[in-house]
Amino acid sequence: MPAAHAADPVPPALTDGFGLTQVAPATGTADNFVLTVTTAQVAGPHHIRVILPVGYADNPTKRYPVFYLLHGTSDDPGNPGLAFPALTASSAMITVIPDGGLRGWYADWLDQSTAAGAQHWETFHLTQVIPFIDANLRTIATKQGRGIGGISMGGLGALRYSQDRPDLFSQVATFSGADDISGDEAVVRAAVVGTLTNVGGLCGNASDPNCPFNFGPTVSSDAVFGSPYPVFNADWRWNEADPSTHMDKLAGMGISLYVGNGQGNGPNTAEEFLAESATLHVRDHLDALGMPYYLVDYGNGATWGTNCGGGHNGYCWAQDLVDYVPRLEQAFASS
């Protein structure tokens, strides 16, 4: 199994497999690098950022749990802003940030014939990326050794993936997540549609507070989950895909939720107002089920890191991870 050495300034060599082919040399350092891969499941080349724990190369027999972090809309794992300090400082876990597209919505799209090409994001992540990482790195390749979290669009993905495959993950977290796409959260649903039709939407870019609302080739509003319009139950696929109303599937899993209220002076406050509503719907469903969870609603962000301001931005998410990573590491250690 390939491994980097402490003195190596370059990323370790990883072996292709599970439908993934590396099409360019890895970039970055030995412990924070970006791969470029292709797959038949999703059109185009895709970046995967890997952050190895401090001391990984010095402990050649030690295995580590893995945290899969799903990014937001209009972002890319090649963005160095996604390598948040709390992740690069960890000595207890590997972090993997796979490409989710500018608006892939962490789903196998219903319509595979759009101008966007193949869009099997869930298949790509769960049946290709995870086994590829387990084959190439010293992971703890069990449910107890995996957690998943997501920012904005990625919050929806983290909840959906952990619900679809609870055998893969023991911990799930959302950070300003678009966690409710049911008919109860029509504005969030409209924001999702906006990313498909290029008329606006949630921005989840970790380093650009002025998200460019260009999410790729314009596609139909029905492309991902079918009709979004609640007429004669035409939107049933959206309700089925909505994680907020299916939280019972996460019984026994550690659940963490982070969100602000968009009423501060930080970047992208309007988006955070929507994220708070969606997150609190998740809370309400968990309460109704009597399921435990950890919630931080930092309001206007005045006491939550530097420049957060309660908005939908990387300053807030950096502080979320300062709080979350030690808790996740402890959960991994306890299991």
Side-chain angles (χ1 to χ4, degrees), residues 83-179:
F84 291 99
L87 301 175
T88 58
S90 175
S91 61
M93 68 182 192
I94 298 167
T95 297
V96 177
I97 308 173
D99 189 15
L102 299 180
R103 43 82 195 277
W105 290 104
Y106 298 98
D108 288 354
W109 288 21
L110 180 65
D111 186 354
Q112 294 293 326
S113 63
T114 73
Q119 299 286 297
H120 293 102
W121 292 100
E122 184 167 3
T123 297
F124 168 46
H125 294 135
L126 300 188
T127 71
Q128 295 185 310
V129 173
I130 288 178
F132 172 83
I133 292 297
D134 286 340
N136 278 286
L137 299 173
R138 298 195 310 274
T139 67
I140 298 173
T142 65
K143 171 187 174 80
Q144 290 72 28
R146 292 192 201 94
I148 189 167
I151 295 167
S152 190
M153 174 181 75
L156 175 72
L159 290 178
R160 292 191 68 248
Y161 285 3
S162 56
Q163 290 177 354
D164 288 351
R165 292 294 305 275
D167 58 306
L168 290 179
F169 308 103
S170 59
Q171 300 288 325
V172 61
T174 73
F175 311 101
S176 304
D179 299 343

Side-chain angles (χ1 to χ4, degrees), residues 263-284:
Q263 296 181 19
N265 59 1
N268 295 5
T269 55
E271 290 94 333
E272 194 67 7
F273 179 78
L274 300 180
E276 184 191 45
S277 178
T279 300
L280 295 184
H281 282 172
V282 170
R283 177 205 62 186
D284 293 344

Side-chain angles (χ1 to χ4, degrees), residues 181-293:
I181 57 170
S182 74
D184 295 330
E185 197 62 77
V187 180
V188 173
R189 183 183 289 190
V192 175
V193 170
T195 66
L196 303 176
T197 58
N198 281 314
V199 296
L202 287 171
C203 177
N205 192 298
S207 60
D208 183 0
N210 301 304
C211 174
F213 291 113
N214 181 358
F215 299 97
T218 297
V219 299
S220 165
S221 61
D222 300 2
V224 183
F225 302 119
S227 172
Y229 306 110
V231 179
F232 301 115
N233 201 36
D235 62 337
W236 66 271
R237 290 188 181 87
W238 285 77
N239 295 325
E240 188 175 83
D242 165 56
S244 74
T245 47
H246 299 94
M247 297 304 291
D248 57 297
K249 295 181 179 180
L250 299 184
M253 196 174 298
I255 303 169
S256 298
L257 309 167
Y258 292 81
V259 75
N261 63 17
Q263 296 181 19
N265 59 1
N268 295 5
T269 55
E271 290 94 333
E272 194 67 7
F273 179 78
L274 300 180
E276 184 191 45
S277 178
T279 300
L280 295 184
H281 282 172
V282 170
R283 177 205 62 186
D284 293 344
H285 288 296
L286 288 169
D287 284 343
L289 292 164
M291 291 173 59
Y293 58 90

